mmCIF file of all heavy atoms in Angstrom:
data_model
loop_
_atom_site.group_PDB
_atom_site.id
_atom_site.type_symbol
_atom_site.label_atom_id
_atom_site.label_comp_id
_atom_site.label_asym_id
_atom_site.label_seq_id
_atom_site.Cartn_x
_atom_site.Cartn_y
_atom_site.Cartn_z
ATOM 1 N N ALA A 568 16.378 11.544 -39.783
ATOM 2 C CA ALA A 568 16.170 10.105 -39.988
ATOM 3 C C ALA A 568 14.718 9.807 -40.356
ATOM 4 O O ALA A 568 14.447 8.901 -41.155
ATOM 5 C CB ALA A 568 16.566 9.339 -38.723
ATOM 6 N N ILE A 569 13.778 10.570 -39.795
ATOM 7 C CA ILE A 569 12.361 10.360 -40.124
ATOM 8 C C ILE A 569 12.094 10.742 -41.571
ATOM 9 O O ILE A 569 11.403 10.021 -42.312
ATOM 10 C CB ILE A 569 11.469 11.161 -39.164
ATOM 11 C CG1 ILE A 569 11.682 10.696 -37.709
ATOM 12 C CG2 ILE A 569 10.001 11.029 -39.560
ATOM 13 C CD1 ILE A 569 10.925 11.509 -36.685
ATOM 14 N N VAL A 570 12.652 11.860 -42.000
ATOM 15 C CA VAL A 570 12.463 12.296 -43.389
ATOM 16 C C VAL A 570 13.077 11.277 -44.347
ATOM 17 O O VAL A 570 12.470 10.911 -45.359
ATOM 18 C CB VAL A 570 13.079 13.691 -43.590
ATOM 19 C CG1 VAL A 570 13.068 14.079 -45.066
ATOM 20 C CG2 VAL A 570 12.329 14.730 -42.765
ATOM 21 N N ALA A 571 14.276 10.796 -44.016
ATOM 22 C CA ALA A 571 14.922 9.798 -44.879
ATOM 23 C C ALA A 571 14.116 8.508 -44.923
ATOM 24 O O ALA A 571 14.003 7.864 -45.981
ATOM 25 C CB ALA A 571 16.341 9.529 -44.372
ATOM 26 N N ALA A 572 13.538 8.108 -43.793
ATOM 27 C CA ALA A 572 12.716 6.893 -43.760
ATOM 28 C C ALA A 572 11.461 7.072 -44.605
ATOM 29 O O ALA A 572 11.029 6.148 -45.304
ATOM 30 C CB ALA A 572 12.353 6.548 -42.322
ATOM 31 N N ALA A 573 10.855 8.259 -44.556
ATOM 32 C CA ALA A 573 9.667 8.521 -45.374
ATOM 33 C C ALA A 573 10.018 8.443 -46.856
ATOM 34 O O ALA A 573 9.221 7.963 -47.676
ATOM 35 C CB ALA A 573 9.088 9.892 -45.030
ATOM 36 N N ARG A 574 11.211 8.891 -47.193
ATOM 37 C CA ARG A 574 11.638 8.842 -48.592
ATOM 38 C C ARG A 574 11.860 7.400 -49.053
ATOM 39 O O ARG A 574 11.533 7.034 -50.183
ATOM 40 C CB ARG A 574 12.910 9.671 -48.752
ATOM 41 C CG ARG A 574 13.348 9.898 -50.202
ATOM 42 C CD ARG A 574 14.483 10.895 -50.287
ATOM 43 N NE ARG A 574 14.013 12.254 -50.001
ATOM 44 C CZ ARG A 574 14.404 12.973 -48.950
ATOM 45 N NH1 ARG A 574 15.256 12.472 -48.077
ATOM 46 N NH2 ARG A 574 13.932 14.197 -48.767
ATOM 47 N N ARG A 575 12.385 6.565 -48.176
ATOM 48 C CA ARG A 575 12.694 5.176 -48.533
ATOM 49 C C ARG A 575 11.491 4.241 -48.417
ATOM 50 O O ARG A 575 11.490 3.157 -48.999
ATOM 51 C CB ARG A 575 13.829 4.663 -47.644
ATOM 52 C CG ARG A 575 15.195 5.226 -48.002
ATOM 53 C CD ARG A 575 16.275 4.707 -47.082
ATOM 54 N NE ARG A 575 16.257 3.245 -46.978
ATOM 55 C CZ ARG A 575 17.042 2.554 -46.143
ATOM 56 N NH1 ARG A 575 17.891 3.196 -45.354
ATOM 57 N NH2 ARG A 575 16.963 1.247 -46.098
ATOM 58 N N LEU A 576 10.468 4.635 -47.629
ATOM 59 C CA LEU A 576 9.311 3.765 -47.397
ATOM 60 C C LEU A 576 8.033 4.489 -47.816
ATOM 61 O O LEU A 576 7.231 4.915 -46.975
ATOM 62 C CB LEU A 576 9.240 3.372 -45.913
ATOM 63 C CG LEU A 576 10.453 2.612 -45.351
ATOM 64 C CD1 LEU A 576 10.360 2.504 -43.829
ATOM 65 C CD2 LEU A 576 10.541 1.222 -45.978
ATOM 66 N N PRO A 577 7.813 4.629 -49.114
ATOM 67 C CA PRO A 577 6.644 5.404 -49.575
ATOM 68 C C PRO A 577 5.310 4.762 -49.240
ATOM 69 O O PRO A 577 4.270 5.421 -49.317
ATOM 70 C CB PRO A 577 6.865 5.479 -51.094
ATOM 71 C CG PRO A 577 7.736 4.301 -51.416
ATOM 72 C CD PRO A 577 8.636 4.132 -50.218
ATOM 73 N N ASP A 578 5.316 3.477 -48.849
ATOM 74 C CA ASP A 578 4.060 2.804 -48.507
ATOM 75 C C ASP A 578 3.629 3.064 -47.067
ATOM 76 O O ASP A 578 2.554 2.622 -46.654
ATOM 77 C CB ASP A 578 4.191 1.295 -48.738
ATOM 78 C CG ASP A 578 5.346 0.685 -47.957
ATOM 79 O OD1 ASP A 578 6.370 1.381 -47.768
ATOM 80 O OD2 ASP A 578 5.234 -0.480 -47.529
ATOM 81 N N ILE A 579 4.452 3.757 -46.293
ATOM 82 C CA ILE A 579 4.114 4.086 -44.909
ATOM 83 C C ILE A 579 3.870 5.587 -44.797
ATOM 84 O O ILE A 579 4.650 6.393 -45.314
ATOM 85 C CB ILE A 579 5.243 3.664 -43.938
ATOM 86 C CG1 ILE A 579 5.392 2.138 -43.932
ATOM 87 C CG2 ILE A 579 4.959 4.169 -42.519
ATOM 88 C CD1 ILE A 579 6.492 1.633 -42.992
ATOM 89 N N GLU A 580 2.789 5.977 -44.102
ATOM 90 C CA GLU A 580 2.490 7.388 -43.849
ATOM 91 C C GLU A 580 3.163 7.808 -42.533
ATOM 92 O O GLU A 580 3.017 7.121 -41.518
ATOM 93 C CB GLU A 580 0.988 7.618 -43.749
ATOM 94 C CG GLU A 580 0.233 7.373 -45.039
ATOM 95 C CD GLU A 580 -1.255 7.602 -44.866
ATOM 96 O OE1 GLU A 580 -1.637 8.338 -43.913
ATOM 97 O OE2 GLU A 580 -2.038 7.032 -45.641
ATOM 98 N N PHE A 581 3.868 8.924 -42.577
ATOM 99 C CA PHE A 581 4.561 9.457 -41.413
ATOM 100 C C PHE A 581 3.888 10.758 -40.984
ATOM 101 O O PHE A 581 3.713 11.668 -41.791
ATOM 102 C CB PHE A 581 6.029 9.746 -41.741
ATOM 103 C CG PHE A 581 6.863 8.517 -41.992
ATOM 104 C CD1 PHE A 581 6.771 7.826 -43.192
ATOM 105 C CD2 PHE A 581 7.750 8.055 -41.028
ATOM 106 C CE1 PHE A 581 7.545 6.703 -43.429
ATOM 107 C CE2 PHE A 581 8.524 6.929 -41.251
ATOM 108 C CZ PHE A 581 8.422 6.246 -42.466
ATOM 109 N N LEU A 582 3.523 10.834 -39.706
ATOM 110 C CA LEU A 582 2.952 12.067 -39.159
ATOM 111 C C LEU A 582 3.885 12.597 -38.080
ATOM 112 O O LEU A 582 4.206 11.876 -37.122
ATOM 113 C CB LEU A 582 1.561 11.815 -38.570
ATOM 114 C CG LEU A 582 0.920 13.001 -37.833
ATOM 115 C CD1 LEU A 582 0.720 14.195 -38.776
ATOM 116 C CD2 LEU A 582 -0.409 12.591 -37.191
ATOM 117 N N ILE A 583 4.318 13.839 -38.245
ATOM 118 C CA ILE A 583 5.139 14.514 -37.246
ATOM 119 C C ILE A 583 4.269 15.531 -36.525
ATOM 120 O O ILE A 583 3.638 16.384 -37.157
ATOM 121 C CB ILE A 583 6.345 15.219 -37.905
ATOM 122 C CG1 ILE A 583 7.287 14.175 -38.523
ATOM 123 C CG2 ILE A 583 7.086 16.082 -36.897
ATOM 124 C CD1 ILE A 583 8.461 14.777 -39.283
ATOM 125 N N VAL A 584 4.229 15.435 -35.209
ATOM 126 C CA VAL A 584 3.423 16.341 -34.379
ATOM 127 C C VAL A 584 4.354 17.084 -33.437
ATOM 128 O O VAL A 584 5.166 16.463 -32.743
ATOM 129 C CB VAL A 584 2.375 15.551 -33.569
ATOM 130 C CG1 VAL A 584 1.685 16.457 -32.558
ATOM 131 C CG2 VAL A 584 1.351 14.921 -34.504
ATOM 132 N N GLY A 585 4.250 18.404 -33.407
ATOM 133 C CA GLY A 585 5.060 19.167 -32.471
ATOM 134 C C GLY A 585 5.483 20.502 -33.044
ATOM 135 O O GLY A 585 5.172 20.853 -34.182
ATOM 136 N N ASP A 586 6.227 21.234 -32.225
ATOM 137 C CA ASP A 586 6.714 22.549 -32.597
ATOM 138 C C ASP A 586 8.143 22.673 -32.095
ATOM 139 O O ASP A 586 8.560 21.929 -31.200
ATOM 140 C CB ASP A 586 5.823 23.626 -31.983
ATOM 141 C CG ASP A 586 5.901 24.945 -32.734
ATOM 142 O OD1 ASP A 586 6.744 25.070 -33.646
ATOM 143 O OD2 ASP A 586 5.117 25.858 -32.402
ATOM 144 N N GLY A 587 8.880 23.611 -32.645
ATOM 145 C CA GLY A 587 10.253 23.776 -32.205
ATOM 146 C C GLY A 587 11.086 24.491 -33.240
ATOM 147 O O GLY A 587 10.574 24.920 -34.295
ATOM 148 N N PRO A 588 12.383 24.632 -32.983
ATOM 149 C CA PRO A 588 13.236 25.430 -33.873
ATOM 150 C C PRO A 588 13.391 24.864 -35.278
ATOM 151 O O PRO A 588 13.784 25.588 -36.190
ATOM 152 C CB PRO A 588 14.588 25.445 -33.133
ATOM 153 C CG PRO A 588 14.554 24.280 -32.210
ATOM 154 C CD PRO A 588 13.120 24.136 -31.810
ATOM 155 N N MET A 589 13.077 23.568 -35.493
ATOM 156 C CA MET A 589 13.201 22.967 -36.821
ATOM 157 C C MET A 589 11.871 22.896 -37.567
ATOM 158 O O MET A 589 11.759 22.204 -38.576
ATOM 159 C CB MET A 589 13.817 21.570 -36.705
ATOM 160 C CG MET A 589 15.261 21.567 -36.223
ATOM 161 S SD MET A 589 15.983 19.913 -36.165
ATOM 162 C CE MET A 589 16.062 19.501 -37.925
ATOM 163 N N ARG A 590 10.888 23.629 -37.097
ATOM 164 C CA ARG A 590 9.550 23.536 -37.712
ATOM 165 C C ARG A 590 9.574 23.929 -39.190
ATOM 166 O O ARG A 590 8.976 23.245 -40.027
ATOM 167 C CB ARG A 590 8.560 24.406 -36.953
ATOM 168 C CG ARG A 590 7.183 24.418 -37.611
ATOM 169 C CD ARG A 590 6.137 25.064 -36.764
ATOM 170 N NE ARG A 590 4.829 24.998 -37.420
ATOM 171 C CZ ARG A 590 3.677 25.074 -36.785
ATOM 172 N NH1 ARG A 590 3.655 25.216 -35.469
ATOM 173 N NH2 ARG A 590 2.538 25.011 -37.446
#
Side-chain angles (χ1 to χ4, degrees):
I569 299 175
V570 172
R574 189 171 288 115
R575 286 179 51 186
L576 300 170
D578 57 327
I579 295 180
E580 294 179 22
F581 292 76
L582 174 61
I583 295 176
V584 171
D586 203 353
M589 294 183 68
R590 176 170 182 157

